Amino acid sequence: MLNIYRSVILPTLFSGLKADPEWVHHQVLNILSFMDTNSSSKLTSGLQAIMQKSLCFEDIRLEQTLWGLNFKNPVGLAAGFDKDGVAINGWPQLGFGFAELGTVTLHEQQGNPQPRLFRLPMDRAVLNRMGFNNQGAAALAMRLQSQGKNIPEALRLQENNYSFYPNFFPYGINIGKSKITSLEAAATDYLGSFKLLKDWGDYFVVNVSSPNTPGLRSLQNAENLSNILADLQAENQGIKPILVKIAPDLEKEAIASILDLIKQYQISGIIATNTTISRDELKTKIIAKTGKLVSEEAGGISGAPLTQRSTEIIKFIWQETQGKLPIIGVGGIFTVEDAWDKITAGASLIQVYTGWVYQGPGMVKQILQGLLQKLDERGLNSISEAIGLAHKGNRD
């Protein structure tokens, strides 16, 4: 399937039809949503069975438990693909071990004007300036409630983890600031989204690192982030894991400052990293859709240009926290080598988005099988033993 995607489907969409990336994105979500809604039909159930057989891969050595949540494998879908949770039942069938919904904001918003999503094939990258387009936190809460996506609180408290729940699939919810909300009121905005969604997400992510909402990245500074985290944890009372997602463009001193706040407010983990505003060493010079220089186009770059930088940040976080803070690594993962580098650098879990678009739906299974081979080659019994391995004298 991976070869067919790369040799036939990808060239047809990217070069032949020159399909608009955002249109293609919506079609994928529509198909997955349709299959979910019509899962009882013979045709749909047959297709789902084929997907699971060809795209999924399970092995107990790839499982781990974090924050009381059981992850059947470490490869997740990054935020941004399914902002409104319209395809929630499709992600397990595509082989993922977890999925992150959002970014969602307290207020519904249309996002930035189109075109706002551009492929950069020469760089194996994507430029996006979507601007948190989503239906709002209340709409997502209603959708998740209608799907019955939470586990009864009494059972959660009784067991103190979800591993007993046989078909459990972890969903994170990534929350951001509404564009109409001032930076001074940002903490209240994040808190409003969390209150609406706290019963439905398995973990939550504070997104203060998107470059596509004016001023949002300033919320990464100590005072602003402290206000947000204080309000969220006061409401949360330690019930749900809360993580912070940071930008790849931060200096080490700024990252260290964020790590201090994470420790102070007992934040559960960190996601490294979001998209970059850097245009260094891009092969693409002109965006064909607009005719402008890529350096003149607003937005964040994801994909291969982020591979090395995000891994370096993961290494730094691991070193600064002595491996005690769970890290979700994201940025430029295309191959098993990319995944392995991030895990051995210190990531407990990894996420894909742009790499999955370029490599195709068979990518997740290929990475999982490759990770298992890496474990076998090194005599490791579980993926947990590989986390941070690069810091322990084995830099393979």
Side-chain angles (χ1 to χ4, degrees):
M1 179 173 285
L2 199 60
N3 290 333
I4 293 174
Y5 182 87
R6 290 180 190 169
S7 61
V8 179
I9 298 175
L10 193 69
T12 300
L13 289 174
F14 280 28
S15 302
L17 296 177
K18 295 183 179 179
D20 177 70
E22 188 169 353
W23 179 86
V24 174
H25 184 164
H26 284 304
Q27 299 319 303
V28 172
L29 289 177
N30 288 339
I31 291 169
L32 291 173
S33 179
F34 176 83
M35 291 177 66
D36 187 15
T37 305
N38 296 274
S39 59
S40 59
S41 74
K42 289 184 178 180
L43 176 60
T44 301
S45 60
L47 287 173
Q48 290 173 333
I50 292 171
M51 287 169 57
Q52 288 179 323
K53 184 177 181 179
S54 60
L55 302 176
C56 297
F57 180 79
E58 291 190 14
D59 191 290
I60 194 170
R61 289 170 290 177
L62 295 174
E63 293 188 21
Q64 59 184 311
T65 299
L66 285 171
W67 315 301
L69 307 174
N70 184 49
F71 294 83
K72 290 188 176 180
N73 74 62
V75 182
L77 178 74
F81 205 102
D82 192 1
K83 295 173 188 269
D84 295 307
V86 299
I88 49 177
N89 291 318
W91 307 120
Q93 295 163 359
L94 289 166
F96 291 104
F98 65 107
E100 194 169 303
L101 309 178
T103 297
V104 65
T105 54
L106 179 59
H107 302 284
E108 178 181 6
Q109 53 189 45
Q110 297 300 311
N112 293 321
Q114 297 177 327
R116 53 193 181 182
L117 186 64
F118 310 92
R119 304 186 196 94
L120 283 60
M122 288 191 295
D123 296 288
R124 294 188 301 157
V126 166
L127 167 63
N128 100 80
R129 50 169 176 262
M130 302 298 290
F132 291 166
N133 55 308
N134 73 102
Q135 297 170 7
L140 179 57
M142 289 180 63
R143 181 170 290 112
L144 294 177
Q145 182 177 15
S146 69
Q147 294 283 341
K149 281 301 158 192
N150 72 325
I151 295 173
E153 189 70 8
L155 289 178
R156 191 196 72 79
L157 294 173
Q158 177 184 342
E159 299 291 338
N160 201 33
N161 65 63
Y162 298 111
S163 58
F164 71 98
Y165 199 76
N167 296 317
F168 175 70
F169 182 88
Y171 286 95
I173 299 179
N174 186 303
I175 55 177
K177 184 189 77 69
S178 306
K179 188 174 182 179
I180 63 171
T181 301
S182 68
L183 292 172
E184 292 74 19
T188 301
D189 192 87
Y190 281 94
L191 181 60
S193 293
F194 181 71
K195 285 181 176 180
L196 288 167
L197 290 161
K198 64 180 181 178
D199 290 336
W200 311 108
D202 298 306
Y203 71 86
F204 288 83
V205 180
V206 180
N207 187 345
V208 286
S209 51
S210 170
N212 299 320
T213 294
L216 187 80
R217 285 191 168 190
S218 69
L219 299 178
Q220 292 176 115
N221 72 45
E223 181 180 358
N224 290 333
L225 186 56
S226 178
N227 292 335
I228 294 168
L229 299 182
D231 285 1
L232 289 177
Q233 287 293 52
E235 174 69 24
N236 184 37
Q237 294 294 306
I239 294 175
K240 293 294 176 76
I242 294 178
L243 291 76
V244 175
K245 188 169 186 176
I246 64 171
D249 309 302
L250 293 173
E251 298 295 333
K252 288 183 178 180
E253 293 78 8
I255 298 173
S257 177
I258 291 172
L259 293 176
D260 288 340
L261 290 177
I262 283 174
K263 183 178 181 180
Q264 178 183 348
Y265 290 103
Q266 298 181 314
I267 297 303
S268 298
I270 191 166
I271 299 185
T273 61
N274 213 317
T275 57
T276 179
I277 57 174
S278 172
R279 303 293 191 266
D280 294 345
E281 300 180 8
L282 288 179
K283 297 176 183 177
T284 303
K285 301 304 178 186
I286 302 288
I287 300 295
K289 185 79 171 180
T290 65
K292 294 182 180 179
L293 292 170
V294 68
S295 58
E296 296 176 352
E297 293 284 5
I301 299 286
S302 61
L306 266 177
T307 305
Q308 183 177 352
R309 176 59 179 162
S310 60
T311 302
E312 289 173 353
I313 290 176
I314 291 166
K315 287 181 179 178
F316 176 75
I317 294 169
W318 172 274
Q319 291 166 346
E320 288 291 297
T321 62
Q322 299 179 323
K324 295 179 181 178
L325 180 71
I327 304 166
I328 298 180
V330 55
I333 298 174
F334 286 73
T335 67
V336 64
E337 296 296 338
D338 298 331
W340 182 254
D341 285 347
K342 282 183 168 47
I343 291 169
T344 57
S348 297
L349 302 168
I350 57 174
Q351 292 176 330
V352 297
Y353 185 151
T354 303
W356 189 67
V357 171
Y358 276 90
Q359 300 293 89
M363 171 190 168
V364 175
K365 183 176 182 178
Q366 188 177 65
I367 287 178
L368 295 176
Q369 291 174 326
L371 289 176
L372 205 59
Q373 184 176 345
K374 295 280 190 186
L375 296 180
D376 289 340
E377 290 171 354
R378 291 157 180 78
L380 302 177
N381 296 314
S382 72
I383 196 67
S384 298
E385 293 179 11
I387 299 168
L389 196 63
H391 303 273
K392 302 171 185 176
N394 185 341
R395 299 185 179 275
D396 288 347

